[in-house]
Amino acid sequence: MDTCDPSVIQALSRRDFLRICGTTAALLGVGQTAVPRIAEALEKAVARRPSVVWLNFASDTGCTEALIKANYPNVAQLILETLSLDYNETIMAAAGVQSEEVLQGALKRGDYILIIEGAIPTRKGYGMIARREMLDIGKEFAAKAKAVIAVGSCATWGGVPAGDPNPARLKGVREALGVECINLDLCPVNEGILVATLVDLLLTDRIPALDGFGRPKIFYGQTIHDQCERRAHFEAGRFVERFGGNEEELGYCLYKVGCKGPMAYANCSKFRYNDRVSWCIGAGAPCIGCSEHGWVDKFAGFYERLPGVKIPGIEGVEAGADKIGLVAGAATAVGIVTHAIGTTVSGRFKEKPPPEEAEKAPE
Ligand code: SF4
Ligand code: SF4
């Protein structure tokens, strides 16, 4: 897939382009005053043509699908054309020998941003592309990358393919390849988070501050529960008791029908899915906690109530939902310290010094 010149930004339409910059500014928490700076950085990026290589391993390609279906703003176009996406075998026009040449060319030049979608089988013979182990391909490309981004649960920790019993011993990028990477959890990845992460890399030339699971703290620093539009119902003890009942129509809290929002760290209510139209809880489905490592087995029984959460005003149980969030947050903070010792992201992008408050557990 060949790339573009600065006219692409005009082709994207100035309004859409600025909308992407505005959304990115909101997600990065830098305020709308940063929009001109983001726009300028992206325009400069076109001239530099930062190379992006997207490798697919064991997954259903749902993250690529999520990316190319987003039209408002057209983030796919931004990544495909504004940034130089050299290789993505699912959507590139080239095939066979031609696509392999493109891939090898990118490898030879090096210094690309490597995006990996899909889990990596660590057992020999369980995941091959063109007679090569996915594991070996991943190692080869990660070694020459400027930064590595794992998109979606499969790439961050193994995801659905790594659910018990996991005969192929599928793992996420960090564990399988032994490299540091930015983990963009969620199933599928939220395209807004991906674009904001790429823009942040371009703006600062540094990786963002990460939590213990390698997730940018700016997007994964608070629980779904803390940002949920149904939270007032939770506090007031108004719950959906079963699907199909009146409470469902009234938009009550979904905790009793399995919502894992108190244990899941992500900002889904903010950016939403499907062109920002809606998100799981907004559409009436309990959160299944897909932002968390191990969610497939850990949260199995997706419609079963999460144990140990105090229901306000009704039961005096073990721990409140906020406390549960704090426990998970404290574990994250321990991970942050470990992470700070070992992180270099392939040694090229430096990690941003974590802000003071980053070491604290979310409140
Ligand atoms: S339990 Fe789920 S639906 Fe209820 S307030 Fe928390 S996140 Fe929202
Ligand atoms: S709301 Fe929950 S289940 Fe839905 S995408 Fe976000 S973390 Fe995943």
Side-chain angles (χ1 to χ4, degrees), residues 224-226 228-232 234 239 252-255 259-262 279 281 287:
I224 293 287
H225 187 64
D226 281 343
C228 181
E229 61 222 26
R230 300 189 187 213
R231 178 67 184 257
F234 175 90
F239 297 96
Y252 284 1
C253 170
L254 297 162
Y255 167 67
C259 185
K260 308 299 185 292
W279 66 298
I281 290 171
C287 168

Side-chain angles (χ1 to χ4, degrees), residues 186 224 264 266 268 273 279-280 287-291:
L186 290 172
I224 293 287
C268 306
Y273 279 89
W279 66 298
C280 307
C287 168
I288 59 174
C290 77
S291 59

Side-chain angles (χ1 to χ4, degrees), residues 204-219:
T204 65
D205 227 25
R206 288 172 181 272
I207 63 160
L210 306 176
D211 70 10
F213 296 103
R215 303 173 297 191
K217 281 187 270 189
I218 196 162
F219 307 131

Side-chain angles (χ1 to χ4, degrees), residues 165-227:
N166 192 9
R169 289 190 210 122
L170 289 145
K171 292 180 179 172
V173 171
R174 267 177 147 192
E175 213 186 332
L177 305 183
V179 296
E180 202 43 79
C181 72
I182 302 169
N183 276 336
L184 300 184
D185 284 84
L186 290 172
C187 183
V189 69
N190 185 305
E191 77 280 352
I193 287 179
L194 173 58
V195 170
T197 301
L198 285 167
V199 170
D200 189 48
L201 278 174
L202 294 171
L203 276 174
T204 65
D205 227 25
R206 288 172 181 272
I207 63 160
L210 306 176
D211 70 10
F213 296 103
R215 303 173 297 191
K217 281 187 270 189
I218 196 162
F219 307 131
Y220 296 88
Q222 279 186 292
T223 62
I224 293 287
H225 187 64
D226 281 343
Q227 306 168 84

